[in-house]
Amino acid sequence: MGKRKDFLRTIVEEDIKSGECKEVVTRFPPEPNGFPHIGHAKSIAINFGIARDYNGHCNLRMDDTNPTKEDTKYVEALKDAVEWLGFTWKNDVCFTSDYFPKIYDYAIELIKMGKAYVDSLPEDEIREYRGTVTEAGKRSKYAARSVEENLDLFERMKNGEFKDGEHILRAKIDMSAANMKMRDPLMYRIRHAEHFRTGNEWAVYPMYDFAHCLSDYIEGVSHSICTLEFENNRDIYNWVLETLGLTPERPYQHEFARLGINYTVMSKRKLLELVEGGQVDGWDDPRLPTIAGYKRRGYTPESILAFCDSVGIAKANSMVDVSQLEFCIRDDLNPKVPRVMCVLDPLKITLVNYEGNEEIETSYYPHDVPKEGSRKLPFSSEIYIERDDFMQNPPKDYFRLTPEQSVRLKGAYIITCKEVIKDASGNVIEIKAEYSKESKSGSDTSGIKVKSAIHWVDANAAIKVEVRLYDRLFSVEIPEGVADLNANSLTVIKDAYIEPAVINEKPDERFQFERQGYFYADPIDYTDAKPVFNKIVGLKGSWDKKKTKTETVPKTRAKKEQVDGEVVAMSDAQTALFTKYTQELKLNSEVANTLARDSQLSAFYEEALSEINSPVSLANIVTNEVARELKQMQISELKFSTSQISQLVKIIDDGTISNKIAKQVFEEMVKSGENPNKIVEDKGLIQISDPVIISAIIDEVMAKNPDNVEKFKAGNIKLLGFFVGQVLKSTGGKANPQVVNQLVAQKLK
Ligand code: ATP
Ligand code: MG
């Protein structure tokens, strides 16, 4: 292996050395109630990876003890994911449901030993009797039932003679145990539901704590590796196996930290919500952190495994920056894939002095990629370039095509703008240019100096393709749910133009589109008649910068912008604006930078500012919301006015609506041009700040989530966020987050 050893491998090696472990057997035990996500990939990499490294084997086991949520389509997705990541399981896929008869027999054994009893307390009393972290629990009076009575009741539970929840089988351990999980944990519950494999054969189903350790034992697992939230369950795991005398050669549980990534959610329940709510296009939507999603987007299994490896295996939960994953996919694709040219937003160039056509032989790979292969680039007098590679009134240090500045068409000739043609409303629709015959790439004797080379395609030979650009699914770093979705996570470009070799020669499925990023031929929608490409990832991200440490921008100074890898400084006028924004108006440097560099945005901002004196709130709306619209149109085309934006800021500032709702109102303004006050009134979006109303909602949420209330009270303070999120959700984002936070904290104390 050669690499640093993680703590799990250290344990495994010790167990082999001491002779305690004869064969390393692990298992990956998902519940088939959703598609696997990248957190599961980490678990797969660990369990299958350890088995492989120590010549053992890993079972793929479906933990199917909850009949109401499971389905074979999830089983298939789980198998796909493991195989796609390059692992194989020994024997057939295992199912906990295959062990139901054995697990049932073990339960009978515990009853006969006096170590388990049928309890008939209602659910809320069971909870009450459990006590708290500081108070011991109280045992149910039913714990005194005789072995015979317990056996009889349990058999009748199994046969379906009772209703759900009427009785429950509990282990008899210790109602005053410091570990609350040990206070007579639940082992079997009644569930009248059809199971996707066992049908209606069983009316009782084992709980995780009982089924998991026994399934591990039955399969001969040596190392049962799970995530940290099961730490307190380890005592039950051991108790069950030891009480039943299933020793030695028994499995031991070890815990590691869950993987979390920012800007996404990572629980099957939340993912299911997005899928069922139609916010995404199925479980394999390329924006989802599911394995199926990454696969469809174009990620490689190698990149996912490299990412899991780079995250490491730790004992403390942490949040990983999504840019780390993006780094891994770039790093994997960079030495592998062909470079080709595709224009996403075409601007036509007519070369007035070029006649006929030619084909330019060009390598698919740059010099530093040790791969061979080339294609012919068609070239004629009609070319498309990217619209933003031309500017009529460029800022200083814009290095691409302008009326005064020539540019090189990558791999071909240098061109010079001669005439700018516009439509009636002033949009540039075509450039008439001249090419320099002597400037051909590789044999340039023209002596013309250019500052950059841009990508292009031949307008006549290029093929129209659809390109799907993906952005983060959520716009906040730690999203709570649907309200935090990024409205612009998907952009579909229907008429991008790509060089013909990509479609006709198909040199690969993954490409680097020069200067744009890495792309993948969509495995489902792509046809030769209608090619579709998914953007996998852009060319450079913040993680690369972190790694190479080239970026050393002091926070207080104007941030530099990069164009074609060149740093672009601010003009004097822009610097003056930046200084005014940061020093007088107290905007942060990021926001000030965005405004100062964009004359349309700053013009909009200044005008709105003359109507409302709230520089910071206004700047936030302008640089986020308004900026997005101005990317697609001119100020004059916007449906909303500066005074409507200042009205919007006003009702945010005075607490009428929350920031979250403001986004919703803005979306409406974009569509209808309606006044924000009217939208708020019509849709009933006024923020709820009344503590009485919010209290009532919190009470409802607490009543619905007694387990989490208990967990919180037992010390899991991370659940504060959960409760706040639930309350916000149940008010459609209308509750005042500050009030909610305060009240939730008070109530949970
Ligand atoms: P979710 O909360 O997403 O539904 P889960 O833990 O309920 O996840 P299971 O299907 O029960 O999902 O998990 C299968 C295995 O994958 C378990 O061993 C679990 O610990 C592991 N696993 C699940 N999520 C993560 C994660 N984010 N990071 C690492 N391992 C994970
Ligand atoms: Mg689960």
Side-chain angles (χ1 to χ4, degrees):
M1 281 186 302
K3 278 186 315 175
R4 70 196 142 74
K5 217 178 302 149
D6 55 76
F7 82 92
L8 288 173
R9 284 177 168 82
T10 305
I11 291 172
V12 170
E13 283 186 17
E14 277 165 10
D15 292 345
I16 295 172
K17 217 155 123 202
S18 72
E20 186 155 327
C21 169
K22 306 269 179 308
E23 192 199 355
V24 176
V25 181
T26 55
R27 83 288 169 268
F28 169 59
E31 184 182 351
N33 60 349
F35 272 51
H37 50 61
I38 192 157
H40 292 108
K42 179 173 177 183
S43 181
I44 291 169
I46 290 174
N47 281 297
F48 283 92
I50 287 179
R52 175 201 57 207
D53 291 349
Y54 298 98
N55 303 315
H57 71 265
C58 178
N59 291 343
L60 171 57
R61 181 200 312 149
M62 300 299 154
D63 191 16
D64 56 346
T65 55
N66 183 357
T68 56
K69 295 198 174 143
E70 296 158 359
D71 197 282
T72 38
K73 70 171 181 248
Y74 301 132
V75 174
E76 292 310 309
L78 283 155
K79 285 158 67 178
D80 274 357
V82 172
E83 281 178 333
W84 185 69
L85 288 171
F87 296 108
T88 41
W89 49 92
K90 201 181 168 187
N91 311 319
D92 293 335
V93 175
C94 305
F95 290 86
T96 302
S97 55
D98 286 344
Y99 315 138
F100 282 170
K102 281 190 185 158
I103 296 172
Y104 180 79
D105 289 345
Y106 282 124
I108 304 263
E109 232 178 280
L110 279 185
I111 295 174
K112 287 184 179 160
M113 295 163 84
K115 295 289 185 186
Y117 61 95
V118 173
D119 197 358
S120 310
L121 286 181
E123 221 182 303
D124 50 341
E125 277 177 49
I126 290 186
R127 199 173 308 122
E128 211 182 295
Y129 277 38
R130 196 173 287 138
T132 66
V133 244
T134 49
E135 285 163 61
K138 198 164 71 178
R139 190 160 264 160
S140 160
K141 62 175 185 231
Y142 299 109
R145 279 175 171 149
S146 69
V147 169
E148 288 66 36
E149 191 182 357
N150 281 322
L151 286 173
D152 173 61
L153 282 172
F154 188 49
E155 181 165 8
R156 288 164 59 201
M157 281 164 67
K158 180 193 85 166
N159 293 340
E161 286 183 32
F162 306 110
K163 288 200 293 287
D164 287 11
E166 217 176 321
H167 303 289
I168 196 145
L169 186 74
R170 303 180 72 169
K172 199 180 220 169
I173 307 183
D174 179 1
M175 287 307 288
S176 54
N179 177 357
M180 292 197 43
K181 298 255 175 189
M182 292 291 272
R183 298 186 183 176
D184 292 7
L186 313 181
M187 307 259 111
Y188 257 99
R189 61 180 171 174
I190 302 171
R191 244 313 112 106
H192 289 274
E194 187 168 318
H195 186 282
F196 75 106
R197 297 187 77 242
T198 58
N200 294 309
E201 196 183 332
W202 296 86
V204 287
Y205 290 91
M207 308 294 285
Y208 172 88
D209 281 323
F210 194 53
H212 204 81
C213 51
L214 289 172
S215 304
D216 283 347
Y217 176 78
I218 291 166
E219 288 176 15
V221 167
S222 62
H223 294 82
S224 179
I225 299 165
C226 64
T227 35
L228 279 178
E229 68 271 24
F230 293 101
E231 205 168 351
N232 287 339
N233 302 64
R234 195 192 326 128
D235 287 344
I236 312 180
Y237 190 102
N238 291 335
W239 182 91
V240 170
L241 296 181
E242 279 158 18
T243 306
L244 286 167
L246 304 177
T247 55
E249 292 270 330
R250 46 151 286 199
Y252 286 90
Q253 178 183 307
H254 307 276
E255 309 91 22
F256 71 96
R258 261 179 118 74
L259 171 66
I261 301 184
N262 59 5
Y263 294 102
T264 193
V265 293
M266 197 122 64
S267 100
K268 283 176 284 181
R269 186 180 51 77
K270 289 190 178 163
L271 295 171
L272 180 67
E273 255 171 43
L274 296 175
V275 172
E276 289 189 332
Q279 275 91 8
V280 295
D281 190 15
W283 282 104
D284 67 348
D285 187 299
R287 293 166 293 179
L288 286 180
T290 53
I291 306 298
Y294 288 116
K295 184 176 168 187
R296 178 150 188 200
R297 177 142 169 189
Y299 274 74
T300 56
E302 293 82 358
S303 66
I304 302 280
L305 291 174
F307 170 70
C308 293
D309 200 48
S310 75
V311 169
I313 307 175
K315 266 276 186 193
N317 285 326
S318 66
M319 182 69 76
V320 177
D321 196 323
V322 63
S323 60
Q324 190 173 339
L325 172 63
E326 292 166 354
F327 170 83
C328 290
I329 180 66
R330 272 188 217 108
D331 195 47
D332 183 46
L333 296 180
N334 177 42
K336 285 184 186 165
V337 303
R339 271 59 167 174
V340 299
M341 293 198 276
C342 178
V343 173
L344 301 185
D345 184 12
L347 173 63
K348 189 172 165 188
I349 307 279
T350 303
L351 299 174
V352 291
N353 63 341
Y354 187 95
E355 268 171 40
N357 51 58
E358 66 186 289
E359 288 186 317
I360 306 172
E361 185 86 21
T362 309
S363 174
Y364 275 126
Y365 305 97
H367 299 299
D368 55 350
V369 171
K371 289 185 83 169
E372 279 178 22
S374 64
R375 81 290 197 187
K376 293 188 165 65
L377 285 173
F379 189 90
S380 75
S381 62
E382 291 183 333
I383 299 291
Y384 289 136
I385 66 167
E386 212 67 65
R387 187 163 290 278
D388 65 11
D389 282 340
F390 171 79
M391 271 185 98
Q392 193 160 18
N393 302 303
K396 212 164 131 193
D397 302 321
Y398 177 83
F399 292 153
R400 297 164 274 170
L401 187 64
T402 75
E404 279 78 42
Q405 181 168 272
S406 304
V407 78
R408 172 175 296 287
L409 298 178
K410 230 172 213 292
Y413 300 94
I414 292 174
I415 60 166
T416 305
C417 172
K418 291 291 162 192
E419 191 187 345
V420 180
I421 299 177
K422 295 182 178 176
D423 65 11
S425 38
N427 301 312
V428 177
I429 49 170
E430 188 186 341
I431 306 285
K432 302 241 190 247
E434 283 181 0
Y435 87 113
S436 158
K437 193 165 192 231
E438 294 75 39
S439 68
K440 192 165 179 182
S441 215
S443 55
D444 180 2
T445 57
S446 71
I448 307 173
K449 288 244 176 329
V450 290
K451 289 190 176 139
S452 69
I454 59 174
H455 61 281
W456 56 276
V457 293
D458 180 88
N460 300 304
I463 295 176
K464 197 198 255 194
V465 296
E466 178 173 320
V467 174
R468 298 173 183 169
L469 306 178
Y470 303 105
D471 197 355
R472 290 174 176 153
L473 185 53
F474 290 95
S475 51
V476 301
E477 188 156 0
I478 318 256
E480 274 157 17
V482 180
D484 294 325
L485 281 168
N486 171 9
N488 301 299
S489 57
L490 170 65
T491 307
V492 179
I493 298 175
K494 294 268 181 199
D495 40 16
Y497 285 91
I498 203 162
E499 54 169 288
V502 175
I503 310 299
N504 299 333
E505 290 176 9
K506 294 193 174 51
D508 206 329
E509 292 169 328
R510 294 181 180 85
F511 302 89
Q512 185 187 109
F513 290 1
E514 300 253 20
R515 299 175 64 232
Q516 299 284 10
Y518 292 96
F519 289 80
Y520 182 52
D522 186 273
I524 296 178
D525 293 339
Y526 185 107
T527 63
D528 282 343
K530 185 179 168 263
V532 178
F533 292 92
N534 300 329
K535 181 164 180 178
I536 308 169
V537 68
L539 287 179
K540 272 254 179 283
S542 53
W543 187 253
D544 301 70
K545 288 182 198 153
K546 258 188 244 166
K547 286 220 121 168
T548 53
K549 291 199 167 69
T550 51
E551 178 92 320
T552 47
V553 185
K555 274 222 162 86
T556 48
R557 262 206 283 127
K559 205 166 178 185
K560 298 192 166 160
E561 194 182 48
Q562 294 208 322
V563 174
D564 289 335
E566 305 284 345
V567 176
V568 178
M570 279 189 179
S571 69
D572 292 346
Q574 289 173 337
T575 308
L577 269 184
F578 179 82
T579 311
K580 171 179 149 192
Y581 290 161
T582 47
Q583 315 219 321
E584 268 173 50
L585 302 181
K586 306 283 179 235
L587 306 185
N588 75 41
S589 59
E590 196 79 46
V591 170
N593 180 60
T594 308
L595 283 174
R597 282 184 182 278
D598 188 326
S599 55
Q600 283 213 85
L601 263 196
S602 53
F604 190 99
Y605 177 66
E606 301 271 353
E607 196 177 325
L609 194 60
S610 69
E611 295 175 51
I612 181 165
N613 186 20
S614 177
V616 176
S617 305
L618 180 62
N620 283 337
I621 295 274
V622 172
T623 52
N624 290 304
E625 263 59 48
V626 178
R628 207 165 54 229
E629 297 305 310
L630 281 179
K631 270 193 194 138
Q632 292 151 32
M633 57 187 84
Q634 306 286 315
I635 289 189
S636 58
E637 296 170 272
L638 294 173
K639 278 217 170 158
F640 51 86
S641 63
T642 48
S643 56
Q644 283 175 325
I645 293 295
S646 37
Q647 273 177 39
L648 179 64
V649 170
K650 182 166 176 294
I651 56 178
I652 298 168
D653 284 353
D654 70 20
T656 309
I657 58 172
S658 65
N659 275 313
K660 236 175 222 169
I661 294 294
K663 295 205 163 116
Q664 204 178 319
V665 174
F666 180 80
E667 292 306 331
E668 202 47 46
M669 291 165 66
V670 168
K671 274 189 243 141
S672 65
E674 196 59 77
N675 276 334
N677 293 332
K678 177 145 189 345
I679 296 169
V680 168
E681 225 173 272
D682 287 354
K683 304 208 158 194
L685 295 175
I686 292 178
Q687 176 159 266
I688 306 169
S689 299
D690 185 346
V692 178
I693 300 178
I694 292 182
S695 273
I697 299 168
I698 297 174
D699 289 342
E700 244 168 62
V701 168
M702 284 173 62
K704 266 193 226 147
N705 297 282
D707 286 359
N708 280 344
V709 173
E710 186 187 311
K711 279 188 208 151
F712 184 90
K713 294 199 166 157
N716 187 350
I717 51 168
K718 278 189 229 138
L719 286 167
L720 193 65
F722 164 81
F723 284 103
V724 172
Q726 291 296 307
V727 174
L728 290 177
K729 194 171 143 196
S730 71
T731 59
K734 284 188 292 184
N736 183 329
Q738 271 129 18
V739 180
V740 175
N741 254 307
Q742 224 173 2
L743 288 177
V744 167
Q746 260 172 35
K747 282 189 184 268
L748 283 172
K749 244 204 295 213

